[in-house]
Amino acid sequence: MIRSCSWNVNGLRAAMGKGFLDWVASTDADFICLQETKLQEEQLTEDMRHPLGADGRRYASFWSHASRKGYAGTALYTRRDPLSVTTLGIQEFDDEGRTVVADFGDFVLVSAYFPNSQEAGARLDYKLRFCNAILEFCERIRASGRHVIIAGDYNIAHTPIDLARPEQNEGNAGYLPEERAWMDTFTGRGYIDTFRHLCREPGHYTWWSYRAPKAREKNIGWRLDYHCVDPELGPAIRQATIHPEVLGSDHCPVGLVLDI
Amino acid sequence: MIRSCSWNVNGLRAAMGKGFLDWVASTDADFICLQETKLQEEQLTEDMRHPLGADGRRYASFWSHASRKGYAGTALYTRRDPLSVTTLGIQEFDDEGRTVVADFGDFVLVSAYFPNSQEAGARLDYKLRFCNAILEFCERIRASGRHVIIAGDYNIAHTPIDLARPEQNEGNAGYLPEERAWMDTFTGRGYIDTFRHLCREPGHYTWWSYRAPKAREKNIGWRLDYHCVDPELGPAIRQATIHPEVLGSDHCPVGLVLDI
DNA sequence: CTTACTAGG
DNA sequence: CCTATTAAG
């Protein structure tokens, strides 16, 4: 059994001041994937590197930083020793610290921060290149007979039930036809959105805008954070969860339990 | 009798959130000179423009803004109608909103924000040009048979009793030989540092660094804010005060009562 | 609105 | 340390 959590923390240093370490200790996860750490190597503290887990042991961690200060960045906390940890290996994405890729032998876990397509789709092309790179990566792992888990902030609400105001957001970043079409392609190849696999109910979101007044308390949100897995892992999915009660970021954590 | 107050507010918008309007209403001053307003015309609110005075009337106000956003800037609140309000009229100082010059007929009141000479005296030349422009301005007013009051943040501690740690600050911005020498020249021409005129005691400061831990509660400060007047006003000086209990900025307000 | 950044003090 | 700025989300 493996337990994974993923959380876009919207600045790890800010999250640290809002109980991040307590949350880590409460998850009892084997893997914790973070996005938008918004820091660089020299800004990491010992607490960030090796937080205490629920089992009384400290996590090992692996980090991928953007070259630009205070921007993007991903991380992975793990209880298990990976065989290797890398990134997607594509310059334009590695430059922004968009992935941590950890190889555990029978499965590969990716902490991924998909680009925001921005106002007027200014960065849509970049985002779609990232999406396609992720898909190709998954297909390669799958072809090698291993499993793959893509955890993170996809910055895409896939279908109308994945955001509170679908009509009002037609054409907005995160709900563009091109982004949704890529999710169609991804799931069309058999990859499984684990939360949606187990729950067809609307109203479950993982992100609420800070800009809209009281969006979170009114639950005017979007489901942007996912654990997706390769088709062959379908029967292994035991739990896929959203934790909207966890505060400290404009996103909330999502969880996955796999019986592998 | 005229009552003036001067305060470097270190950002008027921040000060507004820390009781600035209550302070204005409590001063019962005819004139309030501000420095480091750190805003521009379009960022002014009605409350900032016309705060309520202790007499139940609203002040009129005059503003001088830096062309650079969020930088420097001076203002004058007044109960009396000035004949005219201008600035020093020198491009390099007007560009930074360093003075408001109000003509009341028998006297001219200046709200002045003297430049900081910066690390390694990087801006010392600029500052000394400002200082000399102020002195020349005063001499012109004086020659015309009128009085002049220069209220504001001089960014200079004149003598060892004007800062808590004179030895440690030899050669530091605000206590450079050139800055102190200009104060010698200014007072040598007869201009009166009204506070020092009435009080020879050390330990009275108007600024405490935010950078040094607990500087204000330990009273490790500098006297940088002054009301200076022309020599002929000497006999009219009734009160010159420092108000270290007023919080909301790294500076505190200073007051002057003149019997004219 | 919030988190970073940077400049200035 | 604190107040602004700007970029990004």
Side-chain angles (χ1 to χ4, degrees), chain A residues 13-63:
Chain A
R13 283 167 291 173
M16 286 288 286
K18 301 180 208 165
F20 175 76
L21 294 176
D22 291 339
W23 172 75
V24 168
S26 76
T27 61
D28 200 24
D30 300 302
F31 310 109
I32 297 176
C33 300
L34 303 182
Q35 300 85 38
E36 280 205 274
T37 51
K38 292 190 173 192
L39 46 65
Q40 288 174 327
E41 198 63 23
E42 60 276 16
Q43 295 169 311
L44 287 173
T45 63
E46 200 48 32
D47 272 358
M48 291 174 186
R49 282 182 195 281
H50 300 295
L52 200 60
D55 60 354
R57 294 169 53 217
R58 294 194 175 272
Y59 285 96
S61 62
F62 300 92
W63 303 81

Side-chain angles (χ1 to χ4, degrees), chain B residues 68 71 118 211:
Chain B
R68 169 173 177 178
Y71 185 67
Q118 295 185 341
R211 294 184 233 186

Side-chain angles (χ1 to χ4, degrees), chain B residues 81-104:
Chain B
D81 285 333
L83 301 181
S84 70
V85 178
T86 58
T87 61
L88 217 46
I90 299 172
Q91 177 100 43
E92 65 175 337
F93 309 128
D94 291 354
D95 275 354
E96 298 191 355
R98 294 204 170 265
T99 54
V100 172
V101 175
D103 185 349
F104 292 93

Side-chain angles (χ1 to χ4, degrees), chain A residues 5-12 15-16 20 23-24 31-38 44 48 51 61-64 72-77 97-100 110-113 151-153 225 253:
Chain A
C5 265
S6 178
W7 194 12
N8 176 322
V9 291
N10 190 29
L12 182 54
M16 286 288 286
F20 175 76
W23 172 75
V24 168
F31 310 109
I32 297 176
C33 300
L34 303 182
Q35 300 85 38
E36 280 205 274
T37 51
K38 292 190 173 192
L44 287 173
M48 291 174 186
S61 62
F62 300 92
W63 303 81
S64 180
T74 49
L76 172 67
Y77 290 129
R98 294 203 172 267
T99 53
V100 173
V110 180
S111 176
Y113 177 41
D153 176 3
D225 301 86

Side-chain angles (χ1 to χ4, degrees), chain B residues 2-5 29-32 76-78 80 104 107 109:
Chain B
I2 65 166
R3 294 167 182 277
S4 169
C5 265
D30 300 302
F31 310 110
I32 297 176
L76 171 68
Y77 289 129
T78 176
R80 301 200 195 181
F104 292 93
F107 68 94
L109 172 61

Side-chain angles (χ1 to χ4, degrees), chain B residues 32-230:
Chain B
I32 297 176
C33 300
L34 302 182
Q35 300 85 37
E36 280 205 274
T37 50
K38 291 191 172 192
L39 46 66
Q40 288 175 325
E41 199 61 24
E42 61 275 16
Q43 295 169 312
L44 288 173
T45 63
E46 201 47 34
D47 274 357
M48 293 174 185
R49 282 182 195 281
H50 300 296
L52 200 60
D55 60 355
R57 293 169 54 217
R58 295 194 174 273
Y59 285 95
S61 62
F62 300 91
W63 304 80
S64 181
H65 306 294
S67 52
R68 169 173 177 178
K69 283 189 93 174
Y71 185 67
T74 50
L76 171 68
Y77 289 129
T78 176
R79 272 178 185 168
R80 301 200 195 181
D81 285 333
L83 301 181
S84 70
V85 178
T86 58
T87 61
L88 217 46
I90 299 172
Q91 177 100 43
E92 65 175 337
F93 309 128
D94 291 354
D95 275 354
E96 298 191 355
R98 294 204 170 265
T99 54
V100 172
V101 175
D103 185 349
F104 292 93
D106 45 338
F107 68 94
V108 173
L109 172 61
V110 180
S111 176
Y113 177 42
F114 286 58
N116 185 301
S117 58
Q118 295 185 341
E119 193 67 24
R123 252 189 143 201
L124 180 59
D125 287 352
Y126 177 77
K127 180 180 197 158
L128 293 174
R129 285 199 298 278
F130 182 86
C131 291
N132 291 325
I134 287 286
L135 176 50
E136 282 172 35
F137 176 84
C138 289
E139 294 286 61
R140 250 181 293 135
I141 303 299
R142 195 181 168 193
S144 74
R146 294 179 299 156
H147 296 300
V148 60
I149 306 163
I150 308 290
D153 175 3
Y154 285 56
N155 259 318
I156 303 173
H158 186 189
T159 73
I161 62 169
D162 294 316
L163 69 171
R165 301 272 182 270
E167 295 86 356
Q168 293 169 31
N169 285 294
E170 300 271 5
N172 283 350
Y175 197 59
L176 298 177
E178 295 89 336
E179 298 174 287
R180 301 176 57 197
W182 179 81
M183 282 298 275
D184 289 340
T185 301
F186 188 49
T187 53
R189 298 275 188 103
Y191 293 92
I192 303 166
D193 168 357
T194 58
F195 180 82
R196 197 49 85 207
H197 182 71
L198 296 182
C199 172
R200 295 297 312 160
E201 213 173 43
H204 295 284
Y205 310 122
T206 69
W207 176 80
W208 303 263
S209 175
Y210 277 141
R211 294 184 233 186
K214 307 194 192 275
R216 191 155 183 174
E217 67 184 58
K218 292 190 286 184
N219 198 30
I220 312 293
W222 300 47
R223 194 167 69 94
L224 300 179
D225 301 86
Y226 302 78
H227 279 99
C228 291
V229 300
D230 64 85

